[in-house]
Amino acid sequence: DIQMTQSPSPLSASVGDRVTISCRTSQSISPYLNWYQQKPGKAPKLLIYAASHLQSGVPSRFSGSGSGTDFTLTISSLQPEDFATYYCQQSYSSPRTFGQGTKVEIK
Amino acid sequence: QVQLQESGPGLVKPSQTLSLICTVAGGSITSGDYYWTWFRQPPGRGLEWIGYIYDNETTSYNPSLKSRVIMSVDTSKNQFSLKLSSVTAADTAVYYCTREVAGVVPGATVNWFDPWGQGTLVIVSS
């Protein structure tokens, strides 16, 4: 199975901050990397697919980048509704696997 | 717009079989090229892929659960289902159904999960 390691965890930030979350994979998987947001008691929501493609309806302050084994989710200006847990997920091989999550907390 | 909804018992006794249904609304379960998928998330923990059913009969399960999992589709009800046998407390989790979608980006055909059901908590306890 492909291992996914996210950092940091957790992440403390303030409204307006630029936030960067890292995801490192155990083997090269470009571009088969997706990002999801999950709020307490809710299902995951797709933000970014194929490493850098913004899902329809997702605010443009979210962006993804990276290749090979190193990927990044960036929130350009953190908004109150962005405090949540973020997961990376690989679709390179089966079984599909997720990172352990990065909780973005209020500083 | 397709929406998914899980249903089933919220409490299952140890050694029994957990049974859940996912109802697909806003689109036919037989249209398109989708992998109808189950995940679970133990309280306070990350997401675990359970498996999928594709084209009404092709299945793939997580090796860690394979001996206990059966998935099926009921096209007449636009539903797919999960059965997990011989449950223990370790199977306590929120169970989600979702759809794996394939899309084309420059240089690759990629997959992602969207949409998701809202999730249903299943507790294994006597």
Side-chain angles (χ1 to χ4, degrees), chain A residues 9-74:
Chain A
S9 186
L11 185 158
S12 296
S14 301
V15 172
D17 283 353
R18 180 181 180 89
V19 167
T20 299
I21 298 170
S22 173
C23 178
R24 178 163 290 178
T25 60
S26 58
Q27 65 184 79
S28 180
I29 64 165
S30 292
Y32 303 93
L33 190 284
N34 306 316
W35 289 97
Y36 299 82
Q37 176 194 66
Q38 187 178 34
K39 296 183 178 179
K42 301 294 187 181
K45 172 188 172 184
L46 178 70
L47 299 175
I48 302 285
Y49 62 93
S52 61
H53 296 258
L54 191 68
Q55 170 70 343
S56 175
V58 174
S60 59
R61 62 181 178 272
F62 291 93
S63 64
S65 63
S67 63
T69 61
D70 291 292
F71 301 88
T72 300
L73 174 70
T74 300

Side-chain angles (χ1 to χ4, degrees), chain B residues 56-77:
Chain B
N56 298 339
E57 60 182 8
T58 301
T59 56
S60 178
Y61 302 141
N62 192 318
S64 68
L65 299 169
K66 187 175 183 177
S67 62
R68 300 194 289 131
V69 173
I70 297 175
M71 294 183 185
S72 60
V73 169
D74 185 336
T75 56
S76 67
K77 295 181 179 178

Side-chain angles (χ1 to χ4, degrees), chain A residues 34 36 46 49 55 89 91 96, chain B residues 2 32-37 98-104 109-115:
Chain A
N34 306 316
Y36 299 82
L46 178 70
Y49 62 93
Q55 170 70 343
Q89 176 252 324
S91 60
R96 306 310 196 203
Chain B
V2 172
D33 202 20
Y34 303 122
Y35 296 79
W36 301 100
T37 300
T98 182
R99 180 182 71 173
E100 183 166 343
V101 178
V104 178
T109 298
V110 297
N111 295 60
W112 59 83
F113 295 105
D114 184 69

